[in-house]
């Protein structure tokens, strides 16, 4: 006999059930913020009231009949329970205050009929409904509703005491006790109402102060945002000035290279061999063209700033980039400065804008040239160290003191005359290196030359990587 498959029902944790219920209770479309916070608790209370009253009567009636005269109470409780569930539906439609007002009206009407039929002495055994009316009216609807409900409760008590006064059949002692309890009952509920009034007032004042502080905080945030926007605008203006100075600095380096290549024409004209003269002029023109391409990169940087363009990031071999700059660097230096390039046989891939990298090398080389007015040596070496590519650029110039070395990467810091230096070259190099996750440091001493060490992240993927 084939068995039918058993469908297992996934277990639902209590936390999940409570979370779903809480979300449902909070989803009532109530406009007012305070009422929206009160809505979940009031819905729970109304649902409890709408189910607990019938369940309580069902439990009592299962063991004994209705006491004489209590049929009216039974009917009123069932009507109130039905109205409580109706009020839940009103809250779900966004009518929060009308629903609470309707529920309070039903409770007061039920109390009035019960007190009128049974008297105050019989009803004061259970005062839950009376306390509930005061608490709901005060905490949910406010002070005016609280004192209105209190006045209506006094009228309800008056109905009850009037009924007790007419119950002569129960004896003079019954009437005397009812009338004697009236002042203390009124005073007790007056004290409760006053305490609720004070508590509600304090809560409302605290809420008002909190809202006022919230508005002040929003205004302060708006003022700070305006101030921040003004600061950003000022920083942009400052950055524009710095960029213009940096571009002028880079163009000065590029123009120095072009001048160096242009000076070759004098040496070329001194050559007797026409072929050699043509080859020398051709090499000079190629150098001018390469330098013009570097100038184009500088222009692109300026245009990219105005259009907020991104850098042209690519992966390239540092060896090829340095070797390709050899003719340009030779023209940047006078004949009295010897240029030396030393790179390892291993590929040295890095991931950044190649034009920016070449401008970094030109900036440091131009500073080295200015530091060696009597001539000297400029060495560029590159090698891999673990996961970084290390590039050393050293000169045999005048060197720097410790004080100058501490400020060498600061913007606009320069030891050159204002007509020859902007103080932005090394600052730009420092920012570019840091932007790609690298670092740069300087080692220098007076009379011992200067060496800049740049470390860039190695962009290889393995020992067999080739660029």
């Amino acid at each position: 006999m084939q068995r039918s498959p058993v469908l297992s029902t996934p277990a639902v944790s209590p936390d999940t059930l409570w979370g779903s219920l809480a979300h449902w209770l909070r989803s009532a479309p109530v406009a007012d913020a305070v009422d929206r916070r009160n809505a979940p608790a009031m819905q729970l209370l109304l649902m409890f009231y709408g189910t607990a009253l019938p369940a309580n009567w069902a439990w009592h009636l299962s063991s004994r009949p209705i006491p004489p005269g209590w049929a009216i109470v039974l009917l009123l409780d069932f009507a109130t329970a039905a109205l409580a569930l109706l009020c839940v539906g009103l809250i779900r439609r966004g009518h929060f205050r009308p629903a609470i007002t309707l529920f309070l009206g039903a409770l007061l009407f039920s109390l009035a009929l019960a007190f009128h039929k049974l008297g105050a002495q019989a009803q004061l055994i259970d005062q839950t409904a009376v306390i509930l009316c005061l608490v709901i009216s005060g905490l949910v609807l406010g002070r005016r509703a609280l004192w209105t409900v209190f006045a209506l409760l006094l009228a309800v008590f008056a109905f009850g005491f009037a009924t007790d006064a007419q119950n002569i059949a129960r004896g003079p002692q019954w009437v005397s006790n009812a009338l004697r309890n009236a002042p203390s009952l009124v005073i007790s509920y007056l004290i409760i109402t006053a305490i609720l009034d004070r508590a509600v007032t304090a809560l409302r004042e605290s809420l008002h102060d909190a809202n006022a502080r919230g508005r002040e905080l929003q205004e302060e945030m708006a003022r700070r945002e305006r101030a921040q926007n003004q600061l950003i605008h000022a920083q942009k203006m400052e950055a524009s000035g710095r960029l213009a100075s940096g571009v002028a600095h880079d163009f000065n380096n590029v123009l120095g290279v072009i001048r160096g290549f242009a000076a070759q024409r004098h040496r070329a004209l001194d050559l007797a061999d026409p072929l050699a003269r043509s080859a020398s002029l051709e090499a000079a023109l190629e150098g001018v063209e390469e330098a013009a391409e570097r100038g184009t990169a500088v222009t692109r940087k300026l245009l990219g700033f105005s259009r907020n363009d991104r850098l042209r990031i690519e992966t390239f071999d540092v060896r090829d980039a340095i070797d390709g700059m050899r003719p340009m660097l030779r023209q940047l230096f006078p004949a009295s400065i010897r240029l030396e390039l030393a790179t390892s046989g291993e590929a040295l891939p890095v991931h950044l804008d190649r034009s920016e990298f070449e401008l970094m090398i030109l900036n440091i080389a131009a500073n080295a040239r200015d530091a060696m007015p009597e001539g000297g040596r400029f060495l560029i070496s590159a090698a891999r160290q673990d996961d970084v590519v290390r590039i050393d650029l050293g000169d045999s110039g005048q060197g720097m003191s410790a004080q100058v070395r501490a400020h060498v990467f600061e913007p606009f810091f320069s030891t050159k005359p204002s007509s020859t230096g902007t103080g932005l070259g090394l600052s730009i190099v420092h920012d570019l290196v840091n932007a790609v996750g690298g670092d740069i440091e300087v080692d220098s001493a007076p009379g011992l030359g200067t060496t800049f060490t740049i470390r860039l992240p190695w962009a290889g993927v393995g020992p067999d990587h080739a660029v």
Side-chain angles (χ1 to χ4, degrees):
M1 179 178 177
Q2 185 179 3
R3 295 184 179 180
S4 61
V6 178
L7 298 179
S8 60
T9 303
V12 180
S13 66
D15 293 340
T16 304
L17 290 175
W18 172 248
S20 301
L21 177 61
H23 176 73
W24 182 80
L25 292 173
R26 289 194 297 267
S27 64
V30 180
D32 185 77
V34 177
D35 291 345
R36 189 164 55 250
R37 293 194 175 190
N38 289 330
M42 290 307 304
Q43 290 177 89
L44 283 177
L45 175 63
L46 291 172
M47 286 188 291
F48 175 79
Y49 214 88
T51 55
L53 281 181
N56 183 53
W57 274 107
W59 181 76
H60 279 289
L61 294 177
S62 64
S63 58
R64 57 191 177 189
I66 302 175
W70 282 79
I72 183 64
V73 179
L74 172 63
L75 294 176
L76 290 175
D77 282 350
F78 272 91
T80 305
L83 197 59
L85 297 178
L86 175 63
C87 291
V88 174
L90 290 176
I91 294 177
R92 300 305 304 171
R93 293 180 176 272
H95 307 295
F96 179 78
R97 286 183 171 264
I100 301 304
T101 303
L102 179 62
F103 178 66
L104 286 176
L107 281 181
L108 290 171
F109 181 74
S110 173
L111 286 172
L113 287 179
F115 271 68
H116 176 66
K117 291 292 184 180
L118 302 177
Q121 287 291 90
Q123 288 297 304
L124 292 180
I125 298 174
D126 183 8
Q127 304 179 36
T128 304
V130 178
I131 300 296
L132 190 62
C133 288
L134 290 173
V135 172
I136 292 178
S137 61
L139 294 181
V140 178
L141 299 181
R143 295 183 64 194
R144 181 179 300 178
L146 172 64
W147 288 106
T148 301
V149 168
F150 174 73
L152 293 175
L153 285 175
L154 291 182
V156 169
F157 295 155
F159 292 152
F161 291 128
T163 300
D164 290 335
Q166 295 173 2
N167 287 333
I168 304 298
R170 296 190 179 186
Q173 188 65 29
W174 176 271
V175 177
S176 176
N177 290 336
L179 296 178
R180 187 169 55 249
N181 292 332
S184 61
L185 182 68
V186 172
I187 293 175
S188 299
Y189 279 107
L190 177 62
I191 293 174
I192 294 174
T193 305
I195 293 175
L196 283 173
D197 176 71
R198 185 62 258 170
V200 169
T201 302
L203 287 174
R204 297 282 176 175
E205 290 176 352
S206 299
L207 180 61
H208 181 270
D209 293 342
N211 291 334
R213 286 194 296 268
R215 289 191 295 269
E216 292 176 359
L217 180 59
Q218 290 179 349
E219 293 174 358
E220 178 65 21
M221 292 175 63
R223 287 194 295 268
R224 291 189 179 187
E225 185 176 0
R226 289 193 295 269
Q228 184 179 11
N229 291 334
Q230 294 173 356
L231 177 61
I232 291 175
H233 178 71
Q235 289 175 342
K236 285 184 176 180
M237 297 297 293
E238 179 185 1
S240 299
R242 290 182 58 183
L243 180 65
S245 299
V247 167
H249 186 278
D250 291 338
F251 260 120
N252 188 47
N253 294 334
V254 172
L255 292 176
V257 174
I258 293 177
R259 285 195 301 269
F261 280 115
Q264 286 190 8
R265 73 182 189 278
H266 300 295
R267 295 191 294 272
L269 293 175
D270 294 337
L271 297 175
D273 187 0
L275 293 178
R277 187 185 309 118
S278 299
S280 179
L281 289 174
E282 183 179 357
L285 289 175
E286 290 179 354
V288 170
E289 183 180 4
E290 291 181 2
E293 291 178 357
R294 303 301 186 278
T296 302
V298 174
T299 305
R300 189 175 71 244
K301 179 170 68 174
L302 182 60
L303 294 176
F305 180 83
S306 64
R307 296 194 303 259
N308 198 23
D309 285 350
R310 295 182 178 180
L311 297 176
R312 298 184 179 180
I313 304 298
E314 59 179 310
T315 301
F316 63 90
D317 194 334
V318 167
R319 301 175 305 168
D320 296 338
I322 294 176
D323 189 64
M325 295 182 66
R326 185 191 300 267
M328 185 182 302
L329 291 171
R330 282 178 177 169
Q331 296 303 321
L332 180 66
F333 293 119
S336 59
I337 297 178
R338 186 173 73 259
L339 173 65
E340 298 180 5
L341 304 179
T343 57
S344 65
E346 180 185 8
L348 304 175
V350 294
H351 193 63
L352 69 156
D353 190 312
R354 181 164 180 164
S355 298
E356 297 288 347
F357 174 80
E358 293 172 348
L359 290 174
M360 286 163 42
I361 301 298
L362 278 178
N363 268 315
I364 296 177
N367 284 335
R369 177 198 60 195
D370 297 337
M372 297 182 287
E374 304 298 329
R377 180 182 69 109
F378 183 71
L379 171 65
I380 302 179
S381 63
R384 177 185 171 189
Q385 287 187 346
D386 297 328
D387 291 332
V388 299
V389 174
R390 173 172 174 164
I391 306 169
D392 293 311
L393 303 99
D395 64 65
S396 58
Q398 302 168 353
M400 294 181 281
S401 65
Q403 182 178 4
V404 173
R405 191 169 65 248
H407 301 280
V408 71
F409 295 117
E410 294 180 2
F412 304 108
F413 176 80
S414 178
T415 58
K416 303 175 186 178
S418 58
S419 60
T420 59
T422 63
L424 283 171
L426 293 177
S427 172
I428 293 174
V429 172
H430 181 268
D431 292 343
L432 289 173
V433 171
N434 286 338
V436 297
D439 66 85
I440 181 172
E441 59 185 27
V442 58
D443 181 22
S444 182
L448 298 179
T450 301
T451 299
F452 287 92
T453 300
I454 298 175
R455 295 180 180 86
L456 300 174
W458 184 70
V461 296
D464 298 331
H465 177 86
V467 178

